[in-house]
Amino acid sequence: MPRSRILPNTAVILSPLILGILLAASNFTLARENRRLSGLAHYYASLRHTPEGVVLPDLGGKDPEGRNLTISYKDVNRDTLLLVFSPTCPHCRRNWPVWHDLARGAEGKRVVFVNVGGALPTDFAQLYSFDSATVMAQTSPESILKYSFLETPITVVVSPDGRSEKVSSGELGAADVAAFK
């Protein structure tokens, strides 16, 4: 009885076909896992700074003289500009002149410099002038967590009702400054 040519040809075709199906299933699984991990990464990235559109609690800490300082948004009929920095952060140092321009042009806004990076150096006030802005020299750990101040620099505009209206993380460019004015 002659051997059928179908069987050997089937074996040649069947192996790549099975391999292709396995690769397609693997790609589908990996693409789905990639979407899930991407969503998780965006979520964790959002925890690094104050999100937009949330109502914020009072901000607590100490002023440069060591007295308790609370920044409250109740009974304030103007926006508050929070400029969050660390004295050892190189990005904050580069951002400082931009923040000064922003603070000077923030007519009608309350401006607060918020240190989240430890003690201010003794010559800090001479090196970085604050003009007439409020300075929170040391922010309470509770406020740092509540506001998600886990990276610097952060620029936040808070409305009179305590809602974060505009948030930028990192150094500000010219377009960013225009959006905050």
Side-chain angles (χ1 to χ4, degrees), residues 59-71 85 111-116 118-121 124-125 130 133-140:
L59 181 65
K62 302 215 178 270
D63 69 9
E65 286 75 42
R67 296 182 301 250
N68 287 337
L69 176 64
T70 300
I71 304 298
F85 71 97
V111 179
V112 182
F113 286 93
V114 182
N115 174 24
V116 295
L120 292 177
F124 193 75
F130 302 108
T134 303
V135 177
M136 182 168 286
Q138 183 180 2
T139 307
S140 73

Side-chain angles (χ1 to χ4, degrees), residues 10-110:
T10 304
V12 170
I13 294 173
L14 197 55
S15 294
L17 181 63
I18 291 172
L19 184 60
I21 290 171
L22 289 174
L23 280 172
S26 175
N27 282 344
F28 175 76
T29 303
L30 288 173
R32 201 171 64 181
E33 180 68 5
N34 190 24
R35 277 194 301 276
R36 186 186 72 78
L37 289 174
S38 178
L40 197 59
H42 286 297
Y43 169 73
Y44 281 115
S46 74
L47 297 178
R48 298 188 61 79
H49 58 80
T50 306
E52 287 185 9
V54 297
V55 176
L56 299 171
D58 290 350
L59 181 65
K62 302 215 178 270
D63 69 9
E65 286 75 42
R67 296 182 301 250
N68 287 337
L69 176 64
T70 300
I71 304 298
S72 177
Y73 310 104
K74 296 177 180 98
D75 301 323
V76 177
N77 294 329
R78 57 187 173 155
D79 287 344
T80 301
L81 179 62
L82 299 177
L83 307 171
V84 184
F85 71 97
S86 170
T88 58
C89 169
H91 301 288
C92 298
R93 287 190 197 124
R94 285 192 295 271
N95 211 41
W96 209 265
V98 177
W99 274 346
H100 274 276
D101 290 344
L102 186 60
R104 285 185 193 105
E107 292 181 29
K109 287 185 178 131
R110 173 175 61 166

